[in-house]
Amino acid sequence: MISARTAERIGRLRVTAHRLTRALGLVWSAAPRLTLAWAGLIVIQAVLPVASVFLTRLLIDSVTATVAAGGTWPAMQQSLFYAGALAATLVTAQSLGVAGSWVRTAQAELVQDHLRTLVLRTSYAADLAFYESAEYHDHLERARSDASRRPLALLESGGSLVQNTITLVGMAALVAPYGWWVPTALAVSTLPALVVVVMFNRRFHDWWERTTADRRWATYHDWVLTYSEFAAEIRLFDLGHHFIEGYRRLRSRLRGERLALLRRENLATVGASLFALLVAGGAMIWMLLRVLRGLLTLGDLVLFYQAFDRGQSLMRSLLGNVGQIYANSLFLENLFEFLDLRPTIRDPDAPVPVPAGLTDGIRFRSITFTYPGAETTALDAFDLHVPAGGIVALVGSNGAGKSTVLKLLCRFYDPESGGVELDGIDLRRFALSDLRRALTVLFQDPVPYHASFRQNIAYGDLALDPATSRIEAAARAAGADEVAARLPRGYDTMLGKWFAYGSQLSGGEWQRIALARAFLRESPLLVLDEPTSFMDSWAEAEFLDRFRSLAAGRTSLIVTHRFTVAMRADIVHVMERGRIVESGSPAALLESGGRFAQSWQVQVHSGEERSSTIVDRESEV
């Protein structure tokens, strides 16, 4: 029976071997030909140092014999042959070193791009719920930092391990004839270094994982201080010193802990090096005494010195390689954990087609839903019908559950109980791409893509490869053509300030571009989430005039706080605490005197007060 500690060590070795195998698989899939070339170069470069040491011994002994023979030509020929062979070996080693550097660089570029693409694909496929989890962002942070270098570092360490092992075996074979104990002494002299490498690599990995949140906080402080979205407010409220000091404190603590760990590692490394030096010194004194007694030649002494010195160096490198493999395998677990994330929102095994033309519409049946990690229920026994071809508005206070309805319709989440249906078919029976293809969603915060004005609209439906005429027609329908007309290069103007010659737009102008994307995307379902939140009253009135043409022939759901928008709907549902508490046409709800009518009166009264104040001020002027 093996002990629990031995079983644990065996388990760790198996996990490390699995990580190594998987990392090699990733490298092979990214650059198979270069990996083969890299492996061949490793073997050749491993043999050349042994050959050079052996040829050095032959050359020295040959030169000694030539001198003793009085410099005769036959003896000199042999010396010249060994010198030429040694020179050819050294030149070959240098040439292969240059070739190996190019191969590793090309391999690194391919592998890094491949792994970053895998991280991006995993992030894109992840459920929306992952983005609302701090644990996901910790995984992402570690994956981003490890994806670009850890597999390559592991491959490099593994290659060096193989190369150093081959060379070390050759060196051991060269010194073994001088005594059985010499290879043993060579190995024993580097054992303390192995203990140091393994122990401190483990400690560094534990520290790195423990400080993930602190490093993310430091990055957040950096973003706040350098990104344009924060620039105005942190200057207005004079928050710069606060965030700079926060960043400095975090980095100071992280730096102090890292340097303390490194200091302890360096002290242990010095002790291990002194031990190795004592062993090497003892071996060299023993060899020197044998040469002085005439038992060995000068060539033997040179060979022993070179072989033992290089052997120690190789052993240190080899043990360093083992430690690096172990450390990189620990860090690779972070990458693999991220790549192994699997979305829970996914396609069914046998998807059915989305109905081309709705006859019943959208139905939410007894929906109960709570966000992951939340303590309160977002929707509770929620029922809703959006009739085919109709326009339905959801109104209510913040936190009532309106946006949750939108997210369930897009299948960003699945309900805990109940179901969302299109013409009686549960959304979970559709392929995600087909379902979302059938939806046009105008979000409350439209994404400001840093691309041309034309491309920003084309993002509404890349599958159609829309022609210029269609893009401009969508822009006219949304009123975005007026924005394009004011830009220096019209539809070809770069938007945003991240890249050269970019133009920044207002929130309302970005919303018009988002509306143009909605016009471009010809889908049967239209969902609007606070579509006029960034618009002034004039822009909102213009939008409402265009809205009917956008909604024509579509089934539309509007989430809004503005009753001027809700008044354009066929049916209005008032939400409160995850349920519908009032429903009807806008006119009927106003007559009923319920929540909708009361809120309408508040908004109208507030508007009248603002208008009266403006008139009074103008009169005073």
Side-chain angles (χ1 to χ4, degrees):
M1 295 291 292
I2 60 175
S3 65
R5 178 172 292 183
T6 302
E8 182 182 356
R9 289 173 179 171
I10 293 173
R12 287 181 179 176
L13 286 174
R14 287 176 177 172
V15 171
T16 301
H18 173 71
R19 293 170 185 158
L20 177 60
T21 303
R22 189 171 177 184
L24 291 176
L26 288 174
V27 172
W28 177 262
S29 62
R33 293 181 181 178
L34 288 174
T35 303
L36 282 176
W38 165 82
L41 287 170
I42 281 176
V43 174
I44 298 172
Q45 288 177 301
V47 174
L48 289 177
V50 180
S52 68
V53 170
F54 182 71
L55 287 170
T56 301
R57 174 196 173 186
L58 294 178
L59 177 60
I60 290 176
D61 285 341
S62 176
V63 170
T64 303
T66 299
V67 172
T72 62
W73 175 245
M76 190 177 297
Q77 280 183 313
Q78 191 177 41
S79 297
L80 291 174
F81 172 78
Y82 290 141
L86 181 59
T89 301
L90 295 175
V91 170
T92 302
Q94 289 292 326
S95 301
L96 291 180
V98 174
S101 177
W102 184 90
V103 168
R104 285 192 297 273
T105 301
Q107 186 186 43
E109 291 294 323
L110 288 170
V111 172
Q112 286 176 6
D113 290 344
H114 177 67
L115 291 175
R116 285 169 180 163
T117 300
L118 289 179
V119 170
L120 292 175
R121 285 176 178 168
T122 302
S123 180
Y124 176 68
D127 292 339
L128 201 63
F130 288 158
Y131 286 83
E132 299 174 4
S133 162
E135 184 180 0
Y136 166 81
H137 290 286
D138 285 344
H139 279 307
L140 179 59
E141 172 70 19
R142 291 193 287 261
R144 277 175 170 165
S145 62
D146 296 334
S148 61
R149 58 191 180 90
R150 292 296 175 181
L152 279 171
L154 184 62
L155 184 69
E156 190 73 22
S157 300
S160 297
L161 177 66
V162 173
Q163 181 176 332
N164 290 335
T165 299
I166 295 173
T167 307
L168 184 62
V169 170
M171 295 296 179
L174 291 178
V175 298
Y178 300 107
W180 63 267
W181 60 270
V182 177
T184 305
L186 186 61
V188 169
S189 68
T190 52
L191 285 179
L194 174 63
V195 174
V196 171
V197 166
V198 172
M199 179 174 64
F200 281 96
N201 275 325
R202 182 73 199 187
R203 289 183 181 178
F204 177 72
H205 174 264
D206 292 342
W207 172 82
W208 185 261
E209 281 205 332
R210 178 173 52 81
T211 58
T212 298
D214 285 339
R215 286 182 284 109
R216 282 183 51 225
W217 271 112
T219 301
Y220 171 74
H221 282 69
D222 181 275
W223 284 349
V224 170
L225 289 163
T226 57
Y227 274 56
S228 60
E229 288 83 352
F230 303 96
E233 185 158 318
I234 66 170
R235 282 160 176 76
L236 179 65
F237 293 115
D238 195 20
L239 300 176
H241 297 294
H242 168 78
F243 283 104
I244 290 172
E245 181 61 22
Y247 177 84
R248 192 198 62 78
R249 282 197 306 268
L250 285 166
R251 288 303 309 162
S252 176
R253 183 168 72 250
L254 290 170
R255 184 176 62 253
E257 292 175 1
R258 177 72 183 99
L259 291 177
L261 187 62
L262 186 61
R263 182 169 57 252
R264 291 192 293 271
E265 181 181 359
N266 288 341
L267 289 173
T269 301
V270 169
S273 299
L274 288 175
F275 177 79
L277 186 62
L278 287 174
V279 174
M284 285 304 301
I285 291 172
W286 177 79
M287 276 294 293
L288 182 60
L289 290 174
R290 297 194 71 190
V291 171
L292 293 175
R293 289 161 55 189
L295 299 175
L296 297 174
T297 67
L298 185 61
D300 289 324
L301 181 63
V302 173
L303 181 145
F304 185 87
Y305 171 75
Q306 285 191 329
F308 199 90
D309 182 63
R310 290 198 185 185
Q312 274 199 320
S313 224
L314 286 167
M315 279 295 294
R316 286 193 296 270
S317 297
L318 190 146
L319 296 177
N321 297 148
V322 171
Q324 288 166 4
I325 289 172
Y326 178 64
N328 286 317
S329 71
L330 292 174
F331 282 97
L332 274 175
E333 188 63 21
N334 301 323
L335 173 63
F336 294 149
E337 283 178 357
F338 183 81
L339 294 180
D340 287 338
L341 289 176
R342 293 294 178 265
T344 58
I345 309 297
R346 50 182 181 263
D347 292 338
D349 294 331
V352 300
V354 176
L358 297 183
T359 56
D360 177 62
I362 307 168
R363 284 191 183 272
F364 289 74
R365 294 186 183 273
S366 300
I367 297 292
T368 299
F369 176 75
T370 305
Y371 285 100
E375 297 180 357
T376 58
T377 300
L379 296 178
D380 183 18
F382 178 80
D383 291 291
L384 172 67
H385 179 221
V386 182
I391 301 174
V392 170
L394 289 178
V395 299
S397 59
N398 290 330
K402 305 185 301 299
S403 294
T404 302
V405 173
L406 180 155
K407 293 175 182 177
L408 293 178
L409 179 58
C410 295
R411 256 205 98 195
F412 294 145
Y413 297 91
D414 282 335
E416 298 163 30
S417 63
V420 186
E421 302 172 353
L422 290 183
D423 275 4
I425 305 173
D426 195 289
L427 299 187
R428 287 168 285 203
R429 297 183 61 193
F430 303 130
L432 283 171
S433 58
D434 292 343
L435 170 64
R436 291 170 183 170
R437 174 91 186 137
L439 283 162
T440 293
V441 182
L442 183 60
F443 290 101
Q444 178 177 358
D445 298 314
V447 176
Y449 295 105
H450 292 262
S452 71
F453 189 95
R454 186 186 313 282
Q455 190 65 47
N456 262 273
I457 298 175
Y459 284 153
D461 199 344
L462 287 178
L464 289 178
D465 190 19
T468 302
S469 59
R470 292 200 56 197
I471 292 176
E472 294 180 359
R476 285 193 298 273
D481 58 328
E482 300 172 5
V483 179
R486 295 193 295 268
L487 295 174
R489 297 184 62 194
Y491 284 83
D492 295 321
T493 302
M494 174 66 70
L495 300 184
K497 287 293 186 179
W498 281 17
F499 303 102
Y501 310 112
S503 295
Q504 188 59 277
L505 303 182
S506 68
E509 288 171 330
W510 280 116
Q511 209 152 23
R512 288 195 184 197
I513 293 177
L515 183 60
R517 284 199 291 267
F519 271 106
L520 185 69
R521 189 177 181 88
E522 297 177 350
S523 56
L525 302 175
L526 175 63
V527 181
L528 306 180
D529 183 14
E530 299 292 354
T532 61
S533 56
F534 290 105
M535 296 182 183
D536 54 41
S537 56
W538 292 279
E540 182 182 55
E542 184 182 350
F543 167 80
L544 294 175
D545 292 337
R546 300 175 187 274
F547 170 66
R548 279 290 176 179
S549 62
L550 174 63
R554 303 185 183 192
T555 302
S556 304
L557 176 63
I558 308 173
V559 172
T560 184
H561 285 93
R562 298 196 180 186
F563 286 85
T564 51
V565 178
M567 293 295 288
R568 302 299 180 103
D570 303 322
I571 303 172
V572 177
H573 298 284
V574 181
M575 289 191 66
E576 187 175 296
R577 295 182 181 179
R579 291 190 177 189
I580 292 175
V581 296
E582 195 173 73
S583 300
S585 67
L589 290 176
L590 288 176
E591 292 178 2
S592 69
R595 288 182 173 83
F596 182 84
Q598 294 167 10
S599 297
W600 169 260
Q601 291 299 324
V602 170
Q603 283 197 9
V604 170
H605 181 66
S606 176
E608 289 176 349
E609 282 188 345
R610 286 197 298 271
S611 299
S612 176
T613 301
I614 292 172
V615 170
D616 290 344
R617 287 176 179 172
E618 289 177 346
S619 299
E620 291 173 2
V621 174

